Amino acid sequence: MINELKEMEDQESNSGVDFGGLLEGLNIPYERYENHLTVGETGHDNGWAVFVSVNSHQLKDLLSDIALELFDLKVPFRIIKNEGIAERVNNFWYGIHEVGRSITIYTGKQEVTETVIQRLSPLTDKYLGPQVLDTVRVEKVLYVSYLVFQEQKGDDEEVKWKFALNVPSIKKFPFKINDKYKYWKRKRLLKKRFVPLVLISRSPKGDLLKAIDIKGFRFDWCFVKEGKSNVFIDRHGRDISDRFKWQKRLLKELQDDVPMPRFVDYFEQDEECYLVMEYLEGISLSEKIEKIHSNRKWDDLLFSEQQQLIVYFLQAVDILRRMHKKGYVHRDATASNFMILPGGKLYTIDLELSFNLNTNEPLWPFSLGSFGYISPEQARVEQPTIKEDVYSVGALLLFTWTGHHPSYFIDLNHEINMSKLEESISNKKVLNLVLKCLSHLPEDRPGLNEVEQEIASMLSTKHIV
């Protein structure tokens, strides 16, 4: 297992090599930017664009197949510059709006867009990729939207151009859509059992729905988690359905020992898969932390507010300890993945990245994790240990204490901005504990018991500074 993971780590390091060499081999000139390579002059005129979505490990082959075609058409295009960044994009590290934008083709005019779609359709049919937000899917991995450019000035007064996607209504959409991908028709019944009534949120990963279970005329509320096709496809051929099946197993095994929603059902329908769980009314820990802080520093909070935040944090630590006792590492212990019920009890709601230390399952740990919470070794897809959760606990403590998402302090290379950290945490005891948890060396991180004891001891003081 260790050797297999080391081989995968070597593949990960190779994924940092950009695709400039490929373009040079095809005699295609390009400009290199931080995360992208750009061919041609994109300009800032409003117009149509075609997005080609592909899973990160297929991006190099896709580029080989279509780069000369695009160059011959004389349309400017932008590609994610290497496989490593592409994987992070498709794993939501850069936000849901970037997912699937592997290649952006600036077609501008309608007739050019039609030509690009026609020429690329047969060349891209063998590829798979996640859906792209705020676009219309016209072919298997081809998505179209209208770009509206906006001029913005940075702090240094430098002019920067950003674009927003303006999706026209389907009735006014000028391009032919493959019948397979006409998704706008609302699903009124799932598995002849679940009736979706409330759309909680929408993302390329899938919709989150509040539904009624009509089986046996019980009419119970339930939470339906949809998995869109071709999301999180990895080098081992697994996709989001494999993650959902794994989470189904964990829910059934742990729901009597760890606070979490009870499992209801798993099924697949059309291109999507669905995980159905008990519906829990509440607020995410992330929302609660932000609401309590309301842009205030820890020292400016009321003692009762400080106590409340610490109690929530300790409950999260207790949930992780219970999972460790059962042989599992959570691996995605973010504030967004804990829910607070009206009575104040904390539940964990997303287990798909978890790993069983006793059985070494899944054979290949699912990747990646959440930016700001993920440890360096987890980002490298090394053999999971409970120390990955300790790193996440440090990030969660950082968020709890400051009200800022951990990514405000931690960059993509896991380096900590010490000036921001010291400005935000005046309590040296807490500062040192956070730094120990966020150590790049797993062996230097404390155990969960030490973290709990350090933080719990503060509850007895009149004001925690």
Side-chain angles (χ1 to χ4, degrees), residues 37-39 63 67 70-71 75-79 103-106:
L37 305 177
T38 299
V39 176
L63 184 60
L70 294 175
F71 191 59
V75 289
F77 62 95
R78 184 184 77 167
I79 63 171
I103 301 178
T104 303
I105 307 165
Y106 301 89

Side-chain angles (χ1 to χ4, degrees), residues 29-62:
Y30 65 91
E31 295 288 336
R32 180 181 279 107
Y33 296 92
E34 183 179 2
N35 291 329
H36 298 88
L37 305 177
T38 299
V39 176
E41 181 58 48
T42 59
H44 305 115
D45 294 328
N46 298 344
W48 294 102
V50 176
F51 297 93
V52 189
S53 173
V54 69
N55 293 300
S56 58
H57 59 282
Q58 295 182 312
L59 181 53
K60 183 177 181 180
D61 290 339
L62 172 68

Side-chain angles (χ1 to χ4, degrees), residues 206-237:
D207 295 340
L208 299 181
L209 306 163
K210 183 178 181 181
I212 287 180
D213 182 358
I214 61 175
K215 183 179 180 181
F217 299 101
R218 289 178 299 192
F219 300 102
D220 293 329
W221 285 110
C222 57
F223 178 74
V224 180
K225 189 176 180 181
E226 178 191 55
K228 295 287 189 186
S229 60
N230 306 319
V231 174
F232 295 141
I233 294 182
D234 61 23
R235 294 182 180 88
H236 313 290

Side-chain angles (χ1 to χ4, degrees), residues 264-275:
V264 176
D265 200 2
Y266 170 82
F267 60 94
E268 297 175 10
Q269 184 170 317
D270 299 324
E271 281 196 322
E272 283 74 48
C273 58
Y274 298 88
L275 180 66

Side-chain angles (χ1 to χ4, degrees), residues 438-457:
L438 298 180
S439 171
H440 285 211
L441 300 175
E443 61 271 20
D444 289 346
R445 297 174 201 152
L448 291 183
N449 286 339
E450 180 182 340
V451 175
E452 182 182 46
Q453 290 171 7
E454 288 274 5
I455 299 302
S457 66

Side-chain angles (χ1 to χ4, degrees), residues 143-160:
Y143 297 78
V144 176
S145 193
Y146 192 83
L147 303 188
V148 178
F149 282 89
Q150 299 171 334
E151 183 180 340
Q152 295 181 351
K153 286 188 177 181
D155 295 335
D156 55 1
E157 294 298 315
E158 181 182 354
V159 175
K160 296 181 180 179

